Amino acid sequence: MDATIVRMAHWKIDIKIVNGNDMHILQWRRHMSHDEVLLDGKVQQISRGMWGRETIYGLVFGRDEEGNGGTRVMFVIDPSQDMNNASYWLEGQAPPKGVRLETAEQILLAFGSLDERAYDRPADFAEWAKQKMGIKW
């Protein structure tokens, strides 16, 4: 199983998931009153409310007609606005800060604030400059 981000835009995320010969599109949409998680265009879960909406979702790929088997996937999203993204200031866009998709065996996708490398703190100013500004010496 493999996953890649296809689109990350203002309150929208589209992820392509390839499982063997099957391809699925996982979508997250934020609306004024609710968030939706869609799989291949069909609503899987809805989180309602103005504040404190659910950010962790569980999905199952490849289960049989009785609901047995399949691969369980955890989808986590950090919907807070990424003010470090240039599109926030230039275009008024509010892309989510982070996305994570994982099975029990492996991490399929980790981006932004939910990537484990995002928690690595630089040891000194020189390392911080290398990470944030792309300065190399």
Side-chain angles (χ1 to χ4, degrees):
M1 191 175 264
D2 187 37
T4 55
I5 294 177
V6 176
R7 175 176 63 167
M8 184 174 286
H10 186 66
W11 291 351
K12 297 176 186 174
I13 296 176
D14 295 336
I15 300 171
K16 177 178 79 171
I17 300 173
V18 178
N19 188 9
N21 293 332
D22 297 330
M23 183 181 80
H24 304 281
I25 300 296
L26 177 64
Q27 299 170 303
W28 175 83
R29 299 289 185 261
R30 170 153 278 193
H31 303 282
M32 284 298 256
S33 62
H34 65 282
D35 293 347
E36 292 178 329
V37 175
L38 299 99
L39 183 61
D40 297 331
K42 297 177 186 170
V43 176
Q44 301 295 309
Q45 296 182 9
I46 295 177
S47 176
R48 299 190 191 280
M50 295 305 285
W51 297 277
R53 297 180 198 169
E54 186 61 58
T55 58
I56 301 174
Y57 302 96
L59 303 165
V60 180
F61 289 91
R63 64 179 163 200
D64 61 11
E65 294 177 6
E66 289 84 33
N68 300 322
T71 304
R72 298 180 200 290
V73 176
M74 182 174 72
F75 175 54
V76 184
I77 185 159
D78 180 1
S80 58
Q81 298 174 349
D82 188 3
M83 293 183 189
N84 292 330
N85 193 329
S87 64
Y88 178 83
W89 299 103
L90 299 175
E91 302 167 11
Q93 298 285 325
K97 247 184 177 175
V99 178
R100 189 175 181 94
L101 189 67
E102 63 182 272
T103 64
E105 295 82 31
Q106 65 180 350
I107 297 170
L108 301 175
L109 176 70
F111 173 79
S113 63
L114 297 175
D115 186 1
E116 57 269 358
R117 290 174 290 182
Y119 301 116
D120 293 341
R121 300 283 182 226
D124 57 3
F125 178 76
E127 187 178 327
W128 176 83
K130 287 179 186 177
Q131 285 180 351
K132 296 293 180 183
M133 295 184 222
I135 298 173
K136 297 178 182 173
W137 58 79

